[in-house]
Amino acid sequence: MHRKLTAILSADVVGYSGLMQADETGTLERLKANRSRVFDPEVATHGGRVFKLLGDGALVEFSSVIAAVNCALAIQEATEKAGTEVAEAKRIRYRIGINLGEVIIEGDDIYGEGVNVAARLQTLAPVGGVALSKMVRDNIEGKMPCVFEDMGEHTVKNIERPVHVFHVRAAGRDETSAQKVETPRKLSICVLPFANMSGDPEQEYFSDGITEDIITDLSKVSALSVIARNSAFAFKGKNVDVLQVARQLKVSHVLEGSVRKAGGRVRITAQLIDGAHNDHIWAERYDRDLNDIFALQDEISEAIVKALKLKLLPEEKKAIEQRGTESVEAYNLFLMARQNYVTGGEGDLRRAEATIRICQRITEIDPNYADAWALMALNQMIVRFIHGRKGEDGLAAAERALALDANVAAAHAVKARIFAEYGRHGEASAEIASGLRLDPDSFEVNRSAGLLSFRQHRLEDAIRYWEKATTLMETDVASPSMLMTCYAALGNSQATRRAAEITLARAEKVLAQDQNNGAVTGWGASALVFLGEAERAKEWINRALLIVPDDMHMRYNFACALASDRKGKETALELLVPVFAKISMSLLNHAKIDPDLDSLRDDPRFQAMIAAAETRLAAED
């Protein structure tokens, strides 16, 4: 069995069954003519090899992703031009999907997930258009004149993790009229963030939690493609046009609603809208006791499935009904704790300590709530290792979570990070492998995998995991900021700039709610430096040092931002003096390998700070 990395193009004729039913002989003639005059010649011109014909479709391999994309665009353009003399209802048009992945070679045939993903991408392409996986987009961006449209992540049949889809067209070429009115073939849905109607901003965690749980529940329905949380939450707080959302994300349906929680009552309104015609196909208002929240969530998911005329399999129904706890009070507190954590990130000590306290209360209410133990473990690890405070390291809580439910991927991620802090890298890698096997789309697992790879000097692997983490959590500022560091170290200026733009946008959003978040301020300042806005970065730094002068993580990030600039080297060293006087072992180990500080490593002052910190930490240990 031979394996290799290759670009796979999957093409399929749009509406082939209907065309054959209307005119079998004419359709076959037009398809043969297209293949002999357009499809096959373009494949040959671009160095491709057709390895499988599927009646109205074909699978083609290319050694170059650029060649594959150029070929796809050429096929679509030539096919559109060649069909102008044929009636619209009889025209041959393709959907094309392209993936870059590992495949298995057996004789002249090719198998494997790389092929399967290409086939799924093809179903998500617009009529006459081309859909790409994220890996293909990343490999051709900046290398050919193309325009990309980010369609978000889609859960597709027989592929464990969601596929991040991009539509591509040649620069300067408008979408065809067929693409503009095109309706997705498979039932698909975007669950917009439910509006918080409680009159209390503090209840935002509850409406967000309900939205996220509905997304999770619907994702368990195999016949339905569900837009990932990150893409859906991009519309949070915005006045949206449902038809525009449907077109942008290429979904057949959109779910929107609101949540009002007051006292022991909850009111949820929801409406399911046909994305092509803006028709309401289902709407309901639920006014219940808060204790009925679990049954209510099940009822909403099942009503949506029924409205879409889908069949909910027994195992899918069972999966939807699993909540982790039967206590509404514990569930409510868990939503609060989770929101508290994802909003502030790991650089905020106050939030981490508050999350621990909430999780402790949750586990008092329900000692068997595995997810709460895992979240407690994560924040205990943050307080102990990231902030250098005394207390539990999180290992006991993580093991308690796994004893209750061996499938909690986040608990494996926490154990991996704890083992890495203790230098037990083999065990850490094993925990990451377990987490990725259980849930390849876990934010915590991918974020932890990125950090472990970075500590082991495997920057390409770190990039892959941090890119995934960035797409999984719209409030995550740390992952895109680390991508800046990795891409800059590898000399990829375009990717560095893209990561900086994401970091800055997310930092600004967090700081609009909490201007005292030092770590986020530091990451934002670094992004400004990478974007060439040095003066604005200095304004951020000076203002933050006045507001939170004792935030050492913020000072460290400021130093990283300034160290890359020759003029900022002295200021960077000054900023690091108090940092190294209090630095934790975790941050010290990070500083020793951080590419952002490479310009300081030969400076005797920097070397002296490292040595003094090592001596102090050894004595404290």
Side-chain angles (χ1 to χ4, degrees), residues 542-553:
N542 292 333
R543 183 177 67 249
L545 287 175
L546 286 173
I547 297 172
V548 279
D550 297 326
D551 190 317
M552 295 300 119
H553 281 81

Side-chain angles (χ1 to χ4, degrees), residues 62-121:
F62 293 84
S63 59
S64 160
V65 287
I66 293 177
V69 175
N70 276 327
C71 179
L73 294 174
I75 287 171
Q76 297 292 40
E77 184 176 4
T79 297
E80 191 68 26
K81 290 179 179 178
T84 53
E85 73 281 1
V86 180
E88 182 71 26
K90 296 183 177 182
R91 293 179 67 169
I92 295 292
R93 283 195 175 97
Y94 292 102
R95 285 186 175 90
I96 296 178
I98 302 175
N99 182 45
L100 175 64
E102 187 176 87
V103 297
I104 301 169
I105 310 298
E106 287 190 2
D108 292 331
D109 212 343
I110 298 177
Y111 304 91
E113 188 172 284
V115 178
N116 296 338
V117 171
R120 301 296 177 248
L121 285 165

Side-chain angles (χ1 to χ4, degrees), residues 8 14 65 99 111 259 262 314 325 373 386 388 399-400 405 465 502 512 523 554 557 564 585-586 595 602:
I8 301 294
V14 177
V65 287
N99 182 45
Y111 304 91
V259 179
T325 182
W373 284 106
I386 304 301
E399 290 179 338
R400 177 67 180 274
D405 184 352
Y465 292 122
I502 295 172
W523 292 323
M554 179 187 72
N557 287 325
S564 59
M585 181 59 74
S586 177
D602 293 333

Side-chain angles (χ1 to χ4, degrees), residues 9 89 113 163 225 422 564:
L9 181 153
E113 188 172 284
V163 177
S225 177
Y422 290 134
S564 59

Side-chain angles (χ1 to χ4, degrees), residues 142-174:
K143 299 176 183 176
M144 55 185 293
C146 290
V147 176
F148 302 99
E149 185 178 2
D150 189 340
M151 307 311 298
E153 293 191 331
H154 292 256
T155 301
V156 296
K157 184 179 179 181
N158 295 332
I159 304 296
E160 289 186 0
R161 55 189 179 278
V163 177
H164 197 155
V165 183
F166 291 83
H167 290 172
V168 61
R169 66 177 187 273
R173 183 186 177 197
D174 292 332

